[in-house]
Amino acid sequence: MDTKPFTLDPDFVSQYADKPPPFGFNGLGEIVYRRTYSRLDTQTNTREKWHQTVTRVVTGTFRRQQEHIAKQGLLWNAQQAQSKAQTMYEKIFTMKFLPPGRGLWAMGSPLTEERKLFAALNNCAFVSTSDMWGKEANGGGGSRPSDPFTFLMDAAMLGVGVGFDTKGAESSKRLGRKVLKASMQKIKVVYTIPDTREGWVESVRLLIDSYLDPRACDKRYLFDYSLLRPLGSPIKGFGGIASGPGPLSQLHDDIRRVLGQQADQHLSVTCIVDLMNLIGKCVVSGNVRRTAEIAFGDATNSEYLDLKNYKVNPHRAQYGWTSNNSVFATLGMDYSETCRRILDNGEPGLQWMQNAKNYGRMDERTNGDSRVAGANPCGEQSLESYEVCCLVETFPNNHQSLEEYLDTLESALLYAKTVTLLPTHWPKTNQVMLRNRRIGTSVSGVAQFITHRGVGELTHWLDTAYKRVCEIDHQLSEAFCVPKSVKLTSVKPSGTVSLLAGATPGMHYPESRFCIRRVRVGHTSEMLPALRNAGYHTEPDQVDPTSVVVEIPIDHGEGIRSLSEISMWEQLSLAALLQKYWSDNQVSCTVTFDPAKEGSQISNALDYFQYKLKSISFLPRIEYGAFKQMPYEAIDEKRYHEMVSNIEKEHQLHLVHGDSKKEPEAEKFCTTDRCIF
């Protein structure tokens, strides 16, 4: 057995060193790549080029497989691994499929190679508060009331988006658990917070449990922040600049306030969401700029439904934005009250757990996922409590034939299945992940595919491809000696990853064929001089003084329809088609609707589509100019060509030649404009 760590053949890799990467959208793909995924090469102390990033990711993937094979005492076929790795390399380099942004950024880096922090490879997670009191908790007597809150904080600091529910309020009443009075906490304990992610999380655990756990109620925690790095210090590994102890100190004060007001009462729905949202606010303020939360609550609970009503809860405007809020919908329910609120601000979204538990694809009743309890922030994965998921993104429109696409799926699934082999540092998560091996093989560029080849061809491709995905999973599961994945496919909303490949995100249509796409980069970024010299328009960010906005002209392709031409009903129909023919997990779909023309029809639409979907969210159409420097602006063809004429062709690729000595900032979750905060 070959015990040398896997390495791609250098002669093979050298063939790609001078090949121009097929970045999409007039340089936008490369700008996003340079900003977010091009890591510091430790050997040359310069930033990676695309062929080097692909080398790192593929090498890291196959080394993880090699370690798994060795641990299980199985035979490692080095020749076969080299062949499969070269195929995966070609597929990623040419953007037939891409790992998630998490994978492009972390796989094969010191984060996974040295620190073994494999949780960072996953996109998203879900945690239920129903078992937070320990008696019924997964994990037995070692569980603490703080567990759901600290899991969310730890995951968010790694850039993993997390969904959560409010069922802990129900459990609090049923079990007779109340928030403890501060006056009961008699022993003063000073905790000196280590300058680590784990230290921040531990401080929150100690404080929350001192209010919720009778075993810790005799302590009153004070915190020493002296070890935390000061404001402005660089964050190694994850990139960015430290915020200092301020956001954490503020979170501690907020936790004391929220739980202090609940003293001697059952834990409320509002209290649970407040704590989760305040943690999210701290994570963002702590310079993990992007992560995501979604809250799930009872569709009939007015307390929950009013959390985003800032006339009722004006104080929540300061932090309520940190989560999207959805409801657990039940089949056959009256949707009128839900729709009244959707008309106001687009929330709540809806999640049908009956469909998530009972169906794979919506024409295949399986009853094989009965333990799912919620979903991830963008709604493409139903998940058990403490479960994480890894998503890969495929681009059918970047393929010439169905046969070529079926071949790509082998590499895409191999990457995702490999991530399920890797344990996280959360035992409860490992218990679920080792059993389920859930992955999400997604499709993007759906609107472009329909434009060029039609809905009928899309249906044929997806149905055929799904059957092939199941075959591949069976083969990989046997090869790795692990269970088959409980579910395999999804449609994620995408974001920066689809921009790299020049694809429309997930199932969504663009604002217009011709658009301006605005991207924010740090005002000290080494890319700015190159971008300005290349002719891209830049201007100060009117929201964040540390960023600069770059405008890139985009052509989504001849014949593609704009979002304003796609009715609410057509968007719902496309989501249902994808849920039937492709996704056995879920389809992330934010339906954009015209409040005046379509708002009154939402309840009727849900009456029909509740039997065809697992989740859905809505967004009232916003006219351009409602917010400054919006990510997308529709323009006409004339202005598009004017902007393109200002861009020097030779600068559209390789804008920066790797001279930066700084790490990029970590991609946080899915970076879609629909679910990050």
Side-chain angles (χ1 to χ4, degrees), residues 324 378 493 505 508-509 511 563 589-590 592 619 672-676:
N324 294 328
C378 290
H508 294 101
Y509 277 76
E511 287 294 324
L563 184 57
C589 175
T590 300
T592 301
L619 182 69
T672 166
D673 297 320
R674 288 174 170 82
C675 55
I676 60 169

Side-chain angles (χ1 to χ4, degrees), residues 344-498:
D344 183 40
N345 64 3
E347 293 195 358
L350 299 102
Q351 172 74 30
W352 290 280
M353 293 308 301
Q354 292 155 280
N355 292 342
K357 292 171 184 284
N358 295 334
Y359 290 90
R361 298 191 297 174
M362 278 306 290
D363 64 342
E364 298 170 343
R365 190 178 183 97
T366 64
N367 303 313
D369 210 6
S370 61
R371 286 183 278 199
V372 291
N376 72 316
C378 290
E380 69 268 25
Q381 297 285 104
S382 41
L383 299 165
E384 294 184 30
S385 186
Y386 291 99
E387 188 174 15
V388 297
C389 58
C390 174
L391 310 174
V392 290
E393 201 158 346
T394 66
F395 307 99
N397 198 54
N398 288 2
H399 295 76
Q400 296 301 311
S401 67
L402 174 57
E403 290 68 30
E404 183 190 11
Y405 181 57
L406 298 179
D407 184 59
T408 292
L409 289 172
E410 293 191 32
S411 294
L413 258 74
L414 179 55
Y415 174 87
K417 195 76 172 186
T418 300
V419 174
T420 73
L421 305 176
L422 309 177
T424 71
H425 57 289
W426 304 306
K428 293 179 182 179
T429 294
N430 295 336
Q431 184 177 353
V432 180
M433 187 173 71
L434 293 174
R435 167 168 40 83
N436 284 348
R437 308 284 175 173
R438 187 188 308 272
I439 59 179
T441 309
S442 183
V443 289
S444 271
V446 171
Q448 292 160 316
F449 189 100
I450 291 174
T451 300
H452 298 144
R453 310 191 199 200
V455 173
E457 191 72 2
L458 175 70
T459 301
H460 172 60
W461 275 45
L462 295 182
D463 194 37
T464 304
Y466 181 79
K467 294 179 176 66
R468 180 61 184 137
V469 164
C470 295
E471 293 172 357
I472 296 167
D473 180 61
H474 177 75
Q475 295 164 4
L476 292 176
S477 299
E478 287 201 339
F480 291 133
C481 296
V482 298
K484 290 193 291 185
S485 295
V486 63
K487 285 178 180 173
L488 294 159
T489 52
S490 64
V491 180
K492 65 194 287 280
S494 192
T496 58
V497 171
S498 61

